[in-house]
Amino acid sequence: MITRRIFNSLLLGASTLAYTGVLARPAAAQNTQLLKVAVDSLWQTMSPVTGFATSSARIYCNFYERFTVVDYLADPNGSVVVNQLAESFERDGAVWTVKMREGVLFHNGEEMTAEDAAFTLSDERYRADDAYEPRGATFTEGFIRVEAIDRYTLEIETQSPDIHVPAKLSSVGGIIVPKAYYLEKGVDAFGQEPIGTGPYRVTTFRSGEIMVLEAFDQYWGDAAPVSRLEWDVVPEFAARMAGVVSGEYHVMVGIPTDQEAQLASYDGVNVISVPFSSYAAVAFNTLPDPVDNPLVDARLRYAMVQAVDMDLIVQALFGDTTFHPAVPFNFPEYGEFYEPDLQSNLPYDPDAARALVAQTDYDGQPLIWHITRSFYPNYETAAEIMVAQWAEVGINVEMRVLDNFSMVYQRPFHLMNFGNATSFIPGDPYQPLWMDWNPEANRSRADWKTWAPSADYIAAGARFNSALTFEERFTAFKDLSAAWQEVTPALFMWRQVGSFAVRDGVTWHPAGSEMRMFGGYLSFA
């Protein structure tokens, strides 16, 4: 078995080397006319839903706005939702009447109206067979009619009464786009030249290099605190670190846990760590594609879960900054849904894992694990250890670290890295348990799909979505979780933690995983 000594040697061999170069002295006071942020990557498109990814979603909030928004200043855990471009909501059965804020301008100078809001949520854009951004169907599940009633009023009708509509519209699916410009440009071109209503407008976007935002002088709310924002792509941690210590950058993202103390030791640099509302995970391909895929046998998937000592891995890589959710979807941010004493059906047990492997037809052929290079902090380090632990029970996993998700999605593969967000309905397990796994979700229908929802899962999901009281919803939630665990199409690893370095003179509050550079989130000494 893997002893702690062997584990530590694996950890040492897989860890990223510390940066030890000579660093320049910090720069002088910050210039509020320009704020420069060093990021590890920018997604290839900023189209609101098609381009939704970790590296894009963290900056959307600066140039896009939504019907509603999560107020992280009121509650850092993200449980408070307030109106943004919507002014009020009223529900009558299955119909919501939404009054839109008046006098809001898009960055091209045209006023936002209910027509833009209705198009944003329309069948044409999200749910039709030839929809512009079909991924949006998962964000508007149950919507059967969205109609502009007058210039500033729209109605949203759902298949059955849905008390969560205002909260759902705080997601990327609720980012309001300018109808005429969007249709003129098309999804791809819109994603390269995005227009929103936020405090900043995009003036330059080259996905592998830079994004430049400038304050929008006609913004309806409080003026942006910075005239110009630059998001520079600096893939290597050492280069980002050198830049923030020298004062070239005011803020940087993506700090490995074992480098935080070193970075914080430099004069003029402060390190901020914040838990994100998302979890790193590994998806098991449960489908017969490739045709000889051993993971179609659930017993092999159970064995892979029981073979990994994830608590030990998380403690070694992150210390006490995060945790491993041993029971899927039992997340503390879900308040009344959370059961802290709940025990896993598949606890760490190498002997049980070996017995399960012996019950299958698996004969040791390599299982290919596609991993996106340097995308999730510490993921590749953890993967090296997991591969060794799987080998201990007779499971042969081969890591393939690839440069981007386009390559990760290419078949054949048996395992895949992914991240599962939790915040679509704040305080509710809708997103990770249903929205991301239901029959219309990418994991069920994309070219790279990894599972087919079971009949029990779909039936429990119907009850979960129609529930109007907590008691009904909680019962359906338990059934839905049990049906998912019966299949076990993934292994959750840890709640993700984001670490940022910020120069002296800049006061900045992360908003979960979002980098809001406006309002009460950013100020200067």
Side-chain angles (χ1 to χ4, degrees), residues 189-523:
F190 184 87
Q192 300 305 309
E193 300 178 73
I195 281 181
T197 62
Y200 299 95
R201 62 187 181 91
V202 178
T203 58
T204 302
F205 173 51
R206 296 190 293 274
S207 63
E209 183 182 348
I210 191 172
M211 172 175 271
V212 179
L213 308 179
E214 294 183 359
F216 181 45
D217 293 338
Q218 296 174 288
Y219 180 58
W220 62 269
D222 293 337
V226 178
S227 299
R228 178 184 172 98
L229 280 173
E230 287 188 12
W231 308 82
D232 291 356
V233 176
V234 185
E236 297 298 327
F237 163 71
R240 294 196 302 277
M241 179 177 175
V244 78
V245 173
S246 70
E248 178 184 1
Y249 297 109
H250 305 97
V251 181
M252 67 163 281
V253 308
I255 307 169
T257 305
D258 61 355
Q259 301 297 304
E260 290 178 4
Q262 179 182 354
L263 187 51
S265 70
Y266 292 103
D267 292 340
V269 178
N270 304 290
V271 173
I272 302 171
S273 294
V274 60
F276 287 169
S277 55
S278 63
Y279 290 77
V282 51
F284 300 131
N285 180 7
T286 68
L287 304 175
D289 183 2
V291 293
D292 59 349
N293 179 15
L295 286 176
V296 297
D297 190 330
R299 293 171 297 182
L300 187 58
R301 303 195 295 272
Y302 299 161
M304 296 189 76
V305 174
Q306 293 204 268
V308 172
D309 190 348
M310 191 59 69
D311 286 325
L312 179 62
I313 292 172
V314 172
Q315 180 65 35
L317 295 179
F318 295 97
D320 296 326
T321 62
T322 189
F323 67 96
H324 161 57
V327 179
F329 312 110
N330 190 39
F331 302 146
E333 58 262 45
Y334 289 146
E336 291 183 279
F337 290 92
Y338 177 53
E339 297 179 277
D341 298 325
L342 200 60
Q343 299 298 307
S344 171
N345 294 329
L346 296 172
Y348 171 62
D349 187 337
D351 290 335
R354 291 186 189 93
L356 283 166
V357 173
Q359 295 172 25
T360 73
D361 294 328
Y362 176 67
D363 60 3
Q365 64 265 46
L367 302 179
I368 306 304
W369 187 3
H370 282 185
I371 297 174
T372 313
R373 188 183 311 279
S374 302
F375 194 78
Y376 301 116
N378 291 332
Y379 196 101
E380 288 145 88
T381 305
E384 294 276 6
I385 300 164
M386 294 165 67
V387 166
Q389 292 186 328
W390 282 324
E392 286 287 317
V393 301
I395 301 173
N396 178 17
V397 177
E398 179 183 320
M399 289 173 53
R400 292 187 182 173
V401 181
L402 305 168
D403 288 336
N404 55 58
F405 272 97
S406 296
M407 299 173 70
V408 167
Y409 291 154
Q410 291 178 12
R411 294 186 184 274
F413 62 83
H414 301 95
L415 301 91
M416 173 198 296
N417 67 191
F418 77 101
N420 203 161
T422 65
S423 59
F424 180 60
I425 300 177
D428 186 276
Y430 174 86
Q431 177 166 359
L433 184 49
W434 178 252
M435 191 181 82
D436 289 340
W437 295 93
N438 74 60
E440 298 303 315
N442 281 347
R443 300 220 162 269
S444 308
R445 64 197 296 263
D447 290 342
W448 48 266
K449 60 187 177 183
T450 56
W451 92 314
S454 67
D456 287 346
Y457 177 87
I458 293 170
R463 297 195 305 275
F464 178 73
N465 283 306
S466 64
L468 296 178
T469 67
F470 171 77
E471 290 74 19
E472 293 172 325
R473 198 166 178 84
F474 183 73
T475 298
F477 157 69
K478 297 288 286 186
D479 292 343
L480 192 57
S481 179
W484 187 95
Q485 291 180 65
E486 181 69 24
V487 179
T488 304
L491 166 61
F492 286 94
M493 299 163 74
W494 56 74
R495 185 178 188 180
Q496 297 194 79
V497 179
S499 295
F500 307 88
V502 181
R503 292 287 314 172
D504 277 352
V506 178
T507 301
W508 177 64
H509 303 282
S513 58
E514 291 187 357
M515 301 184 71
R516 299 181 183 178
M517 299 299 186
F518 55 86
Y521 296 92
L522 177 68
S523 60

